[in-house]
């Protein structure tokens, strides 16, 4: 059984904190199973956005882990990321937005194998 979104987010933020990376919940979504989007601000006007991986990357119908995919291979201007997040919230009002700040772009997420 997959962790509830609120528990996963709390654990993720704790992981960031132990690595010296500031992180915060910008938008709370559905406690049980809201999709989680992670924005990593590079503190230079650019950022990376990580979205939930599509269900096709999981081996069974009820995945336990959470995998992510970068929205773009390279950092994008923050306003571009914000526009994308606005669209995601319109599409899925139960989604979470977590934001971290790290000049090195560390994200501590499990990325889906492509």
């Amino acid at each position: 059984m997959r962790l509830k979104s609120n528990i996963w987010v709390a654990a993720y933020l704790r992981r960031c904190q132990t690595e010296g990376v500031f992180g915060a919940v910008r938008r709370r979504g559905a406690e049980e199973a809201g999709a989680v989007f992670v924005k990593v601000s590079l503190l230079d006007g650019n950022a990376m956005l990580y979205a939930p991986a599509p269900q096709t990357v999981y081996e069974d119908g009820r995945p336990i882990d959470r995998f992510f995919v970068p929205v773009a291979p390279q950092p994008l201007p923050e306003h571009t990321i914000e526009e994308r997040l606005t669209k995601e919230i319109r599409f899925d009002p139960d989604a979470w937005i977590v934001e971290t700040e790290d000049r090195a772009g560390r994200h501590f997420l499990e990325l889906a194998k492509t």
Side-chain angles (χ1 to χ4, degrees):
M1 179 177 224
R2 181 187 266 188
L3 281 177
K4 293 180 181 180
S5 294
N6 62 333
I7 295 171
W8 186 91
V9 167
Y12 176 72
L13 290 174
R14 174 59 72 117
R15 168 76 196 279
C16 291
Q17 180 183 23
T18 61
E19 297 290 339
V21 172
F22 172 78
V25 175
R26 279 196 27 206
R27 184 177 196 286
R28 293 184 72 78
E31 299 276 321
E32 297 283 326
V36 179
F37 291 84
V38 177
K39 175 184 171 186
V40 179
S41 175
L42 302 176
L43 302 171
D44 65 356
N46 294 304
M48 291 290 294
L49 180 62
Y50 297 90
Q55 292 297 313
T56 56
V57 303
Y58 296 96
E59 293 180 9
D60 59 25
R62 294 188 53 94
I64 295 173
D65 298 320
R66 287 183 189 259
F67 294 112
F68 291 83
V69 293
V71 168
Q74 299 296 321
L76 298 171
E78 290 213 38
H79 67 85
T80 303
I81 300 290
E82 293 302 321
E83 290 169 3
R84 171 71 186 261
L85 289 171
T86 299
K87 290 177 186 176
E88 292 293 345
I89 296 305
R90 266 191 248 127
F91 177 74
D92 180 7
D94 291 333
W96 290 72
I97 299 174
V98 176
E99 185 167 347
T100 65
E101 296 178 343
D102 187 55
R103 290 187 194 283
R106 296 176 297 164
H107 54 76
F108 314 111
L109 300 168
E110 286 192 61
L111 299 180
K113 292 178 176 73
T114 54

